[in-house]
């Protein structure tokens, strides 16, 4: 069971108490056998990582946005939140930002992030790259098409070019600095 986008109902003033209460409620629900595992899913984790007092219960899963459309500050916030919460697993979501038909996907070829670009499609490369932006062990993706799902699961073994991913993160950070 996920605490869904807690940033929508928190302010800086209420954040620490409300977040602690919500996480404790879910952790208690698991302890009582009402659900198997609990987690936090956050589209914009920036409010959740402002230094907080006290420890939060450790979630089973932290799920944040992942992939090539995620901004530098959201990626950094997701990583800092994972350090703070120490979830048993980190998952990503929405690797295509909700649509592969968006014009942005025609503007570049995500296969530059693969070690062997010729053996895959751009969609597969974008999906695979989401596993490192930020580092996650699973990615929640939406599709109504079993063929599309097969294309994505076939991409799971594609090897990423770590140097290129690192360079991309540095470029993203540099471009997000105020001039
Ligand atoms: N917490 C939040 O605020 C929040 C917000 C959004 C999403 N989420 C989570 O993230 C999950 C995924 O997000 P999402 O569905 O909005 O976005 P997404 O996974 O980034 O994109 C889904 C789109 O990608 C297309 N697609 C998938 N595989 C494809 C392929 N192989 N080839 C071509 N197109 C492909 C799908 O079209 P087809 O159907 O034609 O394949 C669909 O239109 C959701 O189920 C949810 O769990 C959370």
């Amino acid at each position: 069971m996920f605490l869904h986008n807690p940033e929508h109902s928190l302010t800086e003033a209420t954040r620490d108490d409300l977040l602690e209460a919500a996480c404790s409620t879910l952790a208690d629900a698991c302890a009582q056998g009402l659900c198997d595992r609990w987690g936090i899913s956050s589209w914009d984790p920036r409010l959740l990582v402002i230094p907080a007092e006290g420890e939060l219960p450790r979630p089973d899963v932290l799920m944040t946005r992942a992939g090539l459309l995620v901004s530098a500050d959201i990626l950094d916030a997701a990583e800092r939140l994972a350090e703070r919460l120490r979830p048993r697993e980190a998952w990503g979501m929405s690797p295509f930002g909700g649509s592969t038909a968006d014009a942005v996907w025609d503007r570049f070829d995500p296969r530059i992030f693969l070690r062997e670009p010729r053996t895959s499609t751009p969609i597969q490369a974008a999906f695979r790259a989401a596993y490192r932006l930020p580092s996650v062990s699973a990615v929640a993706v939406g599709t109504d098409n079993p063929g599309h799902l097969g294309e994505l699961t076939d991409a799971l073994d594609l090897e990423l070019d770590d140097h290129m991913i690192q360079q991309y993160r540095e470029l993203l950070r540099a471009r997000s600095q105020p001039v």
Side-chain angles (χ1 to χ4, degrees):
M1 183 176 289
F2 277 113
L3 185 61
H4 184 79
N5 292 351
E7 64 270 19
H8 286 184
S9 38
L10 300 175
T11 64
E12 280 189 40
T14 62
R15 181 201 55 201
D16 292 357
D17 289 345
L18 280 181
L19 198 55
E20 205 279 328
C23 291
S24 295
T25 299
L26 287 174
D28 288 349
C30 282
Q32 292 168 28
L34 296 174
C35 64
D36 187 41
R37 296 193 294 165
W38 75 278
I40 298 175
S41 143
S42 171
W43 190 256
D44 182 351
R46 287 174 297 182
L47 180 64
L48 308 183
V49 290
I50 296 164
E53 289 174 17
E55 288 273 310
L56 289 173
R58 186 182 181 193
D60 294 300
V61 178
L62 172 65
M63 183 158 83
T64 53
R65 289 181 66 189
L68 292 161
L69 301 187
V70 185
S71 63
D73 53 346
I74 299 273
L75 287 173
D76 288 344
E79 287 171 344
R80 290 206 309 279
L81 185 60
E83 281 167 21
R84 178 181 164 207
L85 293 175
R86 298 174 300 108
R88 289 176 179 81
E89 289 180 52
W91 293 358
M93 63 182 165
S94 204
F96 306 121
S99 172
T100 48
D102 193 283
V104 69
W105 297 112
D106 295 327
R107 287 197 214 125
F108 70 105
D109 189 341
R111 286 177 290 191
I112 56 169
F113 295 102
L114 297 178
R115 283 189 189 278
E116 185 44 80
R118 281 168 300 182
T119 57
S120 66
T121 65
I123 292 287
Q124 286 180 312
F127 178 65
R128 188 68 185 98
Y131 280 76
R132 216 56 72 73
L133 295 166
S135 265
V136 292
S137 59
V139 173
V141 61
T143 181
D144 294 327
N145 182 326
H148 284 173
L149 189 60
E151 183 182 358
L152 300 182
T153 54
D154 285 348
L156 291 173
D157 291 334
L158 293 173
E159 276 192 63
L160 288 165
D161 182 335
D162 292 327
H163 180 64
M164 192 61 95
I165 296 270
Q166 190 56 38
Q167 275 195 317
Y168 175 72
R169 284 293 300 271
E170 285 165 18
L171 190 66
L172 264 189
R173 280 199 191 103
R175 287 182 65 106
S176 69
Q177 303 295 328
V179 283

